[in-house]
Amino acid sequence: MLKCLAMEKDLISLVIPAYNVEPYLTDLFLSIKNLTYQNFEVIFVDDGSTDKTGSLLDEFAKANSFVRVFHQKNAGVSSARNKGLSLIKGAFVIFVDPDDAFHPDFLSILYNNIIKHHADVAICGYKKVKSNFSYPAFKPLKPSNKQIIYDNRDDIMCQYLSIRPFFWATSNKLYRITTLKKIPQYPNLFSLKCFDGEDALFNTLALSYCERAVFTPEQLYCWRMRKGSATHRSFDEKNLTLLMNEDFLKTLDQSVFIEAQDYAHAKACIDNIILLFKFATSRYKNPVAAKTIYANFKNELPYLQRAERCPLYCRFVPLIKPIAYLMIRHKFN
């Protein structure tokens, strides 16, 4: 396992919101206990769980002095993360999902990279795992020299908005607290009005303040694909708040984020495509919303072709428009 730079002087805070995740806590606890980086704290925010999640978290905290648990009425993942952010003591923070797992060197590698390269955020690769995934015996990792440095704010934003390789979530990113504190609304950085794509909304805000980012392709984080999670819930009006991402993207400083403007529009196009597919495969009907989403999609589509860092999407641009229309037209009436 890896040793860390600077003798692990810096405290890292893990903020973990939890709601009815009892079946997955064993894997999470093993992930935490096996971390090779030792100077960390864990802030659990139990968001009004109705199963044994709360009691299991309390038991884990009693057995481990680096763990604190806070219980609140159900208010959503954004509220829980804001609560955790207001309570942390670390110099760095990472937001982990309670149904996932991570490599023992997860924090060590991210910390080494953020310190070595004087970055504001360190990012690692991730892998999708099935719902029945259980915490494995990870193979030891050799130090990687494949880090990619981004030291231009416009470049960082382009990379993020093109989705790959940064990934839209918060869980594979270690953030420097001094950078996050530059944001006026700190610690309330997660929108309480957004119920779909809140990670993307937060990251667009946070990364807009980052002067340097470092990425390593090592897959240190395991993202569990399970039904019933916030990411995979059935479609309803809450999903329409994904459009809040587009409203925020339009506020990016055009004098700083020059190339990123195209990527902001391309991201908006992708968000509308996601909504179209969710709309088409659900029982939810809202003719006004359907027409608005489809109109937004058509307006943003040209930008997708200009976003050269999104080759996968560009390749299918000629097919997207007719397929999207055929899928959504029955929702117009």
Side-chain angles (χ1 to χ4, degrees):
M1 297 298 177
L2 297 181
K3 293 184 179 180
C4 294
L5 299 177
M7 299 179 64
E8 298 184 358
K9 290 182 180 179
D10 295 307
L11 179 68
I12 296 177
S13 299
L14 287 81
V15 172
I16 310 178
Y19 176 74
N20 288 355
V21 288
E22 178 186 346
Y24 309 105
L25 289 179
T26 298
D27 282 345
L28 178 64
F29 293 162
L30 284 172
S31 292
I32 293 171
K33 293 287 288 183
N34 288 333
L35 283 169
T36 56
Y37 191 95
Q38 295 297 302
N39 191 18
F40 67 90
E41 65 170 357
V42 181
I43 309 296
F44 282 110
V45 181
D46 172 29
D47 191 36
S49 297
T50 56
D51 62 1
K52 294 181 180 179
T53 294
S55 59
L56 290 174
L57 295 180
D58 287 337
E59 291 176 12
F60 189 62
K62 287 180 181 179
N64 297 279
S65 59
F66 56 84
V67 177
R68 288 183 283 160
V69 180
F70 297 87
H71 302 274
Q72 67 177 31
K73 293 181 179 179
N74 182 252
V77 65
S78 291
S79 172
R81 285 174 175 164
N82 286 340
K83 176 66 174 178
L85 198 54
S86 71
L87 298 166
I88 65 171
K89 300 176 181 178
F92 301 92
V93 65
I94 194 163
F95 303 93
V96 172
D97 289 332
D99 52 351
D100 295 335
F102 35 87
H103 192 281
D105 289 333
F106 177 51
L107 291 186
S108 297
I109 291 175
L110 288 175
Y111 176 78
N112 280 350
N113 287 343
I114 205 169
I115 294 297
K116 178 180 178 181
H117 299 288
H118 306 285
D120 298 295
V121 60
I123 305 164
C124 68
Y126 73 99
K127 60 181 177 180
K128 296 179 181 179
V129 296
K130 295 182 179 179
S131 180
N132 61 355
F133 164 86
S134 60
Y135 187 81
F138 286 101
K139 295 180 180 179
L141 290 174
K142 295 181 180 180
S144 173
N145 295 317
K146 296 181 180 179
Q147 294 89 19
I148 304 173
I149 311 301
Y150 303 92
D151 54 9
N152 175 282
R153 291 171 67 191
D154 193 25
D155 195 25
I156 292 171
M157 191 58 64
C158 287
Q159 288 299 135
Y160 179 68
L161 295 177
S162 64
I163 299 178
R164 297 179 179 181
F166 281 11
F167 186 40
W168 53 264
T170 60
S171 47
N172 68 330
K173 299 174 181 67
L174 181 67
Y175 307 89
R176 191 181 291 271
I177 287 297
T178 53
T179 301
L180 294 184
K181 285 186 174 181
K182 294 177 183 178
I183 304 174
Q185 56 265 48
Y186 183 91
N188 298 311
L189 301 183
F190 289 88
S191 172
L192 301 183
K193 297 179 180 179
C194 186
F195 299 96
D196 190 5
E198 61 273 5
D199 279 19
L201 196 61
F202 164 82
N203 270 319
T204 307
L205 175 63
L207 294 179
S208 70
Y209 282 80
C210 291
E211 301 287 347
R212 170 171 283 200
V214 54
F215 171 77
T216 180
E218 293 162 301
Q219 294 180 323
L220 304 174
Y221 193 84
C222 298
W223 180 28
R224 191 190 302 270
M225 309 299 292
R226 69 178 180 92
K227 294 181 179 179
S229 67
T231 308
H232 298 93
R233 61 176 166 239
S234 58
F235 189 86
D236 57 28
E237 287 190 3
K238 288 185 177 181
N239 294 96
L240 297 178
T241 61
L242 181 63
L243 299 175
M244 289 180 63
N245 288 307
E246 297 174 31
D247 292 336
F248 178 77
L249 290 173
K250 293 173 183 176
T251 68
L252 290 175
D253 188 341
Q254 295 187 19
S255 65
V256 175
F257 302 101
I258 302 170
E259 186 184 357
Q261 293 300 314
D262 283 348
Y263 285 87
H265 287 283
K267 172 70 164 56
C269 182
I270 293 168
D271 286 345
N272 279 280
I273 291 171
I274 292 171
L275 287 176
L276 287 173
F277 275 81
K278 287 184 176 181
F279 224 119
T281 56
S282 73
R283 296 180 180 180
Y284 178 72
K285 291 195 70 172
N286 185 329
V288 175
K291 291 179 180 179
T292 300
I293 294 168
Y294 188 70
N296 289 345
F297 156 71
K298 289 197 299 182
N299 290 336
E300 304 292 2
L301 187 56
Y303 291 96
L304 199 57
Q305 295 170 297
R306 290 160 54 177
E308 295 179 357
R309 305 187 204 201
C310 303
L312 182 63
Y313 300 110
C314 296
R315 191 178 305 168
F316 296 104
V317 163
L319 299 175
I320 290 174
K321 191 172 181 179
I323 291 175
Y325 175 73
L326 289 174
M327 289 190 69
I328 200 68
R329 64 179 181 176
H330 68 285
K331 298 286 185 175
F332 288 162
N333 301 313

